[in-house]
Amino acid sequence: MEDIALLPSQIEFLAEDTTITVVPNFKMESLIFLSGEYGPFVPSFPIDIPLWLAISLKKKKKCTIIPPDWMTYSINSNSNCNNNNNNNNNNNNNNNNNNNNNNNNNNNNNNNNNYNIINKLESKYREENIIKDGFIELPENFIEISSLLLANCPDDIKDINSIRSLINNILLRREDKLGESFKSHLNSLADGESVTTMEFKNYSMMEINKVRAPYVSGINNLNKIQNSDNGNNNNSQSQPTSNTSSRSLFSKK
């Protein structure tokens, strides 16, 4: 019986039930659907609704969509610089009590300068490159949500070109790691050993859907070649006069 896999459009449809925050610019009572009741809608008051409804309102220019937290920026403090500045300020305070006000102002300025604004997706990309075996955990429905938001509300996403580039880089890196893992698995097989099932943690449904067909087809073809190779080996063993023997496709060099 042939396996039936979900289409990318069907996976995206399921992801549209993800809750997202919007800021409406209209007033309306609650809307009742089969999936639930959403509202009431009050101008400038954020409300959580399903992604499909948020996109529908956005297309009608009825709201602003607030991107999920993982598509925003984080602020990290430089603790080493803060400690040094605090020590210097303490010394100045001990040496000259008349400059307390100036030191306080300097403290505020130094504290402001010791914060680094980092794109959270950039942090994810770095983590993906650091981990050699396996994959990092991405937000649920990462590909589907990012694709829908980039397509339908580009004006609501800060630094959209950077966000789009980072998402693409993350996915390409994960594809490369999958290919490397597959090659490593093939090289680890002993002579005559069949390709076994491979398990990958933190690989999303959309990513699996994308590579499933070519990988399964490739594995099936490799097994056919291997079986044929094993058959040739058996025939050569029945002919002792033959000087040549077939080598398994998966044998190590």
Side-chain angles (χ1 to χ4, degrees), residues 30-249:
S30 297
L31 300 175
I32 301 176
F33 299 92
L34 292 176
S35 58
E37 181 178 346
Y38 312 108
F41 298 87
V42 180
S44 301
F45 279 83
I47 183 173
D48 293 337
I49 58 176
L51 181 57
W52 61 266
L53 180 56
I55 292 176
S56 177
L57 293 176
K58 179 64 180 179
K59 289 180 178 179
K60 298 175 182 178
K61 299 182 180 180
K62 295 292 186 179
C63 73
T64 298
I65 296 179
I66 300 178
D69 181 69
W70 48 266
M71 291 184 72
T72 59
Y73 288 79
S74 62
I75 301 177
N76 295 335
S77 61
N78 189 330
S79 59
N80 291 330
C81 290
N82 285 334
N83 290 333
N84 292 333
N85 288 329
N86 289 333
N87 291 333
N88 291 333
N89 289 329
N90 288 333
N91 291 332
N92 290 332
N93 288 332
N94 292 331
N95 293 331
N96 189 354
N97 293 327
N98 293 329
N99 291 328
N100 284 335
N101 292 332
N102 292 332
N103 286 333
N104 290 332
N105 292 331
N106 289 334
N107 286 336
N108 293 331
N109 292 332
N110 288 333
N111 289 333
N112 291 333
N113 293 330
N114 291 330
Y115 286 94
N116 298 322
I117 300 178
I118 300 176
N119 190 310
K120 293 184 178 180
L121 285 174
E122 185 175 353
S123 298
K124 287 290 185 182
Y125 180 57
R126 292 176 182 175
E127 292 177 25
E128 194 70 71
N129 283 297
I130 292 174
I131 298 178
K132 301 302 180 183
D133 297 327
F135 308 90
I136 65 170
E137 183 178 3
L138 292 177
E140 186 177 5
N141 301 320
F142 172 81
I143 299 177
E144 303 90 299
I145 293 176
S146 60
S147 177
L148 288 168
L149 292 182
L150 290 172
N152 293 283
C153 60
D155 54 319
D156 294 336
I157 302 174
K158 182 179 180 181
D159 294 336
I160 184 171
N161 291 330
S162 176
I163 295 295
R164 182 182 287 110
S165 177
L166 284 169
I167 292 173
N168 185 59
N169 289 340
I170 291 173
L171 297 180
L172 288 177
R173 178 56 185 145
R174 290 166 70 89
E175 289 181 12
D176 291 341
K177 290 169 71 174
L178 180 64
E180 293 168 1
S181 298
F182 185 68
K183 291 179 182 178
S184 176
H185 179 69
L186 292 180
N187 292 331
S188 67
L189 297 175
D191 290 345
E193 184 180 357
S194 299
V195 180
T196 57
T197 302
M198 301 177 64
E199 296 183 2
F200 297 99
K201 187 178 180 180
N202 297 329
Y203 213 61
S204 69
M205 185 185 298
M206 185 66 82
E207 289 174 305
I208 293 174
N209 181 274
K210 182 178 181 180
V211 302
R212 182 176 184 271
Y215 269 72
V216 171
S217 176
I219 290 175
N220 289 336
N221 290 331
L222 288 174
N223 284 329
K224 289 179 181 179
I225 296 173
Q226 185 186 45
N227 292 334
S228 176
D229 190 42
N230 291 336
N232 292 334
N233 283 335
N234 294 332
N235 291 334
S236 65
Q237 291 175 1
S238 64
Q239 300 176 359
T241 57
S242 176
N243 294 326
T244 60
S245 62
S246 298
R247 183 173 63 85
S248 172
L249 176 67

Side-chain angles (χ1 to χ4, degrees), residues 15-31:
E16 288 180 346
D17 281 333
T18 304
T19 301
I20 196 166
T21 304
V22 302
V23 180
N25 57 19
F26 66 100
K27 186 175 182 180
M28 181 180 288
E29 298 298 327
S30 297
L31 300 175

